[in-house]
Amino acid sequence: MDEQLFFKKLNNLCTSEEIFDFLSSLEVLSDTMAAGALQRISEVEVDDSGLKNPGVLENEVFRALCLQFEFESSKLSNTGLLNALQALVMLCIDPQSTLMVSLLSESEERLGKAQLTVENLCALGESLLELESPSCAMLQQIVNHMQEKDIEKWTPREIVMVYKILQLTARERKQYQNLLNRLNSVTLPAVSQLNPNFASVILNSLVVLCQTQAVALVTALCKHSAKHVPYFTDYELVNVLDAFLYFGHREQIFTEALEMHVPQSILTMHPQTVCKVMQYCCKKAILSKPIFDAVAESFISSADRLTTDQIAEYIIPFGTLNYLPPSASSLFRRLETVLHTRLSHFQPHTLVNLLHSCVLIQRYPLNFLPKIFSPYFLQKLQAQPPGLNGVVTSQLTQLFLTVTLECPFYEGPKLLPKYQVKAFPMPHSSCDVHLLKRVKTGLLYLLKKRIYFASEVSTPYFYAVDIEIKLDEEGFVLPVAQREEVHKRIALCVDGQNRFCANSHNLLGEEAIKQRHLQLLGYEVVQIPYFEIESLENCRKMAEYLHKKIFPHTYG
């Protein structure tokens, strides 16, 4: 039969039985036709979970094809040899079987004699990559031969295959950096042609190969990924999100695509993919209400199917980004039920992270704090990495301070002083130095002397105040050094962009709880957000703004 007609008929067959019947009706098959038949069998019999029907491998026609490939491997064309190898790898044939050993050794021999085209090298490379323990020597040979070819003429498939091989040989990255630089340059103009799988694979390879200098390529791939969001598999989407996190990239159109995709697909998404989406939003401070609302609903319906780590990864971003979804009451009722039944299953540090995130948004885990503050639990925390470091002790102290200030009716165990920090480190929301300087200049213009305000003041209550002003009983400003007759303390919170969610006026959780606690500790908290003062042109206008903001009763 004519090969073109053969492949046309073959591709219309949808079951292995139909394929075997069709092959049985033919007297003669070329090796490329036989390899094509194996490939078609692998397409219909293999899905994401592997081989659907192992009985296929026992079929007489299938075994006859395999025998022919095993004993006549030296007579096969390159295309027949490598397509057959690729199909048999997909069908999970034992790499140690005589059939596979025969095909692999023949491929290695032809590779050594430089008899393979770029297309052949690509097919062989893909087959080797699918094997559990591929021959690194063969992969390196493939890369070396590929380097001799005209790299500018490579197809996206060939580019992807070389990235995958280089990813496997990541330890020899320096040896191949010149090839990587050429590959990165050639890939850039080809980005628009990449399908979802290719885009995901290349981004993953760039992460594994630490290609932080390939800024233009990473940026182009991240932008290109936005249009593929609905079509990525869970695994591919996780790779893409990992790349965004690794390269510190944020793309508005990508976030918008996620906002469309996640609410529609969350019921079928793997929990680990949902966790990665939430991690991406959390690390990038992206408060996406469509995503967070969908994740809240998903948690309410499927919390029992989540691992303890996944539970924490679903919930913690709500506290970090200071957001309560419309279903908040159901969400936290569900969380409380899960904690009651599975509390002992949580790793100590995961539990502290989770409960701390709850108090950031005024959800108080009072039933679980006796366990957290118990000496036994604290010893477990200390024994497991990272132990009781500054971050953990700050979280414990803030939990303790929260119940002291916001839940005065709590009568359970307290956090022992030796586990409390003297001051909270605020790495994510440290003061914007440039903004603080502008506010101080405006205050000096308003109050005339520097003695009337202090900046970056440590308080006895673990928090630092950006600017503090003291007033007497009649409302007059006192020198900051004065300790007697202080009737009121004003805490100015100079909130730069880093204290808010991205592109939003929503304060981050750690800044919101700080301002709440300062108020409960007796301060009058005055918020000076960056978006209210960035347009003030001069010192006089800044002073006017501050007068109106801090002393509204005397303004005008």
Side-chain angles (χ1 to χ4, degrees):
M1 182 184 282
D2 171 65
E3 278 199 8
Q4 204 170 354
L5 179 60
F6 170 83
F7 281 108
K8 188 177 178 183
K9 287 192 172 187
L10 180 68
N11 291 329
N12 285 329
L13 303 176
C14 298
T15 67
S16 51
E17 288 81 6
E18 288 176 348
I19 296 168
F20 293 138
D21 288 344
F22 174 53
L23 294 177
S24 301
S25 69
L26 303 173
E27 289 184 16
V28 180
L29 279 177
S30 69
D31 65 344
T32 49
M33 290 159 75
L38 288 177
Q39 284 189 309
R40 185 63 188 148
I41 292 164
S42 73
E43 286 167 11
V44 300
E45 287 295 343
V46 177
D47 60 17
D48 291 341
S49 55
L51 187 60
K52 291 189 278 190
N53 176 20
V56 168
L57 308 184
E58 301 303 319
N59 181 278
E60 286 181 13
V61 178
F62 180 81
R63 294 178 74 169
L65 282 174
C66 291
L67 277 170
Q68 205 162 358
F69 278 107
E70 183 179 338
F71 293 111
E72 297 187 9
S73 58
S74 60
K75 298 176 186 174
L76 300 171
S77 65
N78 285 343
T79 303
L81 171 68
L82 297 167
N83 285 356
L85 178 63
Q86 209 163 21
L88 294 166
V89 168
M90 291 301 292
L91 288 162
C92 308
I93 304 298
D94 181 5
Q96 305 304 319
S97 66
T98 51
L99 166 63
M100 293 296 279
V101 169
S102 173
L103 295 181
L104 283 166
S105 61
E106 181 62 30
S107 302
E108 188 170 13
E109 191 176 326
R110 296 187 194 188
L111 178 64
K113 291 178 181 175
Q115 294 174 349
L116 304 180
T117 64
V118 170
E119 176 77 12
N120 298 151
L121 290 167
C122 194
L124 178 57
E126 286 169 345
S127 297
L128 291 172
L129 288 166
E130 287 297 325
L131 295 174
E132 277 188 23
S133 50
S135 160
C136 284
M138 278 180 79
L139 287 172
Q140 286 178 348
Q141 266 187 291
I142 291 171
V143 172
N144 293 337
H145 283 303
M146 290 292 280
Q147 286 191 82
E148 295 163 11
K149 311 290 182 186
D150 189 352
I151 194 170
E152 277 71 26
K153 293 180 181 173
W154 287 1
T155 64
R157 178 188 166 207
E158 288 153 3
I159 289 170
V160 166
M161 189 273 299
V162 174
Y163 270 118
K164 283 164 86 171
I165 294 176
L166 291 175
Q167 186 176 331
L168 260 187
T169 56
R171 279 175 297 182
E172 287 84 35
R173 187 173 73 247
K174 288 180 182 174
Q175 180 186 335
Y176 291 119
Q177 190 56 55
N178 286 338
L179 172 60
L180 266 169
N181 292 341
R182 287 170 64 204
L183 196 55
N184 293 343
S185 300
V186 166
T187 306
L188 183 56
V191 164
S192 60
Q193 303 165 41
L194 298 176
N195 64 28
N197 176 255
F198 287 177
S200 167
V201 167
I202 293 175
L203 275 171
N204 183 238
S205 296
L206 293 173
V207 170
V208 174
L209 295 163
C210 309
Q211 295 299 288
T212 48
Q213 80 290 347
V215 178
L217 177 57
V218 169
T219 304
L221 282 165
C222 288
K223 281 185 178 171
H224 180 67
S225 295
K227 73 176 188 182
H228 289 319
V229 166
Y231 312 107
F232 284 127
T233 64
D234 278 12
Y235 179 74
E236 289 164 356
L237 183 56
V238 167
N239 279 345
V240 171
L241 290 167
D242 273 334
F244 269 87
L245 291 166
Y246 177 80
F247 291 111
H249 201 77
R250 186 166 63 210
E251 198 66 60
Q252 185 59 30
I253 54 169
F254 181 82
T255 303
E256 288 167 6
L258 275 181
E259 287 181 336
M260 293 286 289
H261 175 65
V262 173
Q264 292 172 2
S265 311
I266 196 155
L267 295 177
T268 56
M269 284 174 88
H270 191 282
Q272 211 50 48
T273 311
V274 179
C275 290
K276 188 58 70 175
V277 170
M278 291 302 272
Q279 186 191 353
Y280 166 76
C281 290
C282 196
K283 297 269 186 190
K284 301 287 181 190
I286 297 168
L287 176 53
S288 166
K289 292 181 181 179
I291 292 175
F292 277 54
D293 292 351
V295 170
E297 293 292 345
S298 169
F299 182 86
I300 292 164
S301 62
S302 64
D304 291 334
R305 298 198 296 272
L306 303 178
T307 66
T308 52
D309 283 345
Q310 287 168 350
I311 289 166
E313 286 168 341
Y314 270 54
I315 299 297
I316 287 171
F318 287 92
T320 305
L321 302 191
N322 185 30
Y323 177 64
L324 285 171
S327 59
S329 56
S330 302
L331 175 67
F332 287 95
R333 256 200 318 274
R334 189 81 172 92
L335 177 61
E336 186 166 18
T337 305
V338 169
L339 286 172
H340 271 300
T341 54
R342 298 168 66 185
L343 192 68
S344 60
H345 299 169
F346 281 84
Q347 289 296 315
H349 288 91
T350 305
L351 188 58
V352 171
N353 276 330
L354 177 59
L355 299 186
H356 175 258
S357 73
C358 292
V359 300
L360 296 179
I361 41 178
Q362 296 176 277
R363 289 297 178 271
Y364 309 111
L366 299 181
N367 294 328
F368 310 105
L369 289 181
K371 176 185 172 84
I372 296 292
F373 295 153
S374 73
Y376 172 69
F377 182 82
L378 293 168
Q379 283 167 12
K380 276 176 72 178
L381 263 182
Q382 196 154 17
Q384 291 183 11
L388 283 169
N389 64 11
V391 173
V392 178
T393 48
S394 295
Q395 289 176 326
L396 289 168
T397 306
Q398 204 158 39
L399 276 166
F400 171 63
L401 190 58
T402 299
V403 291
T404 305
L405 294 174
E406 300 185 53
C407 310
F409 48 85
Y410 171 75
E411 294 179 349
K414 305 284 192 277
L415 182 67
L416 295 173
K418 68 175 180 178
Y419 295 113
Q420 297 175 24
V421 293
K422 289 185 172 64
F424 290 131
M426 305 286 275
H428 301 300
S429 58
S430 54
C431 197
D432 181 323
V433 179
H434 175 67
L435 208 61
L436 185 65
K437 189 176 178 182
R438 285 190 64 205
V439 172
K440 282 157 67 175
T441 306
L443 270 179
L444 190 58
Y445 189 95
L446 176 66
L447 302 177
K448 308 305 179 196
K449 288 187 180 177
R450 184 68 179 80
I451 60 167
Y452 291 120
F453 63 92
S455 59
E456 299 173 271
V457 180
S458 295
T459 71
Y461 313 109
F462 316 109
Y463 293 109
V465 173
D466 296 331
I467 294 175
E468 185 182 65
I469 297 171
K470 296 176 180 177
L471 305 181
D472 67 12
E473 199 166 354
E474 294 177 22
F476 288 106
V477 180
L478 297 170
V480 286
Q482 187 167 326
R483 297 192 176 187
E484 298 80 30
E485 299 177 6
V486 178
H487 180 69
K488 183 191 280 186
R489 293 172 188 267
I490 297 175
L492 264 59
C493 295
V494 183
D495 295 330
Q497 266 181 298
N498 60 329
R499 292 184 179 177
F500 293 88
C501 298
N503 305 319
S504 163
H505 293 173
N506 195 75
L507 274 176
L508 293 172
E510 63 181 22
E511 186 59 28
I513 196 173
K514 170 188 166 181
Q515 294 185 17
R516 202 163 70 235
H517 283 178
L518 287 174
Q519 211 158 5
L520 290 167
L521 288 162
Y523 282 91
E524 180 184 318
V525 175
V526 177
Q527 194 187 2
I528 312 289
Y530 75 94
F531 48 83
E532 287 183 1
I533 60 176
E534 58 189 357
S535 61
L536 300 177
E537 295 160 6
N538 54 44
C539 192
R540 185 179 57 80
K541 288 193 174 178
M542 176 67 84
E544 271 183 30
Y545 166 84
L546 292 170
H547 190 168
K548 193 173 182 179
K549 195 89 178 183
I550 306 167
F551 309 108
H553 302 302
T554 63
Y555 181 73

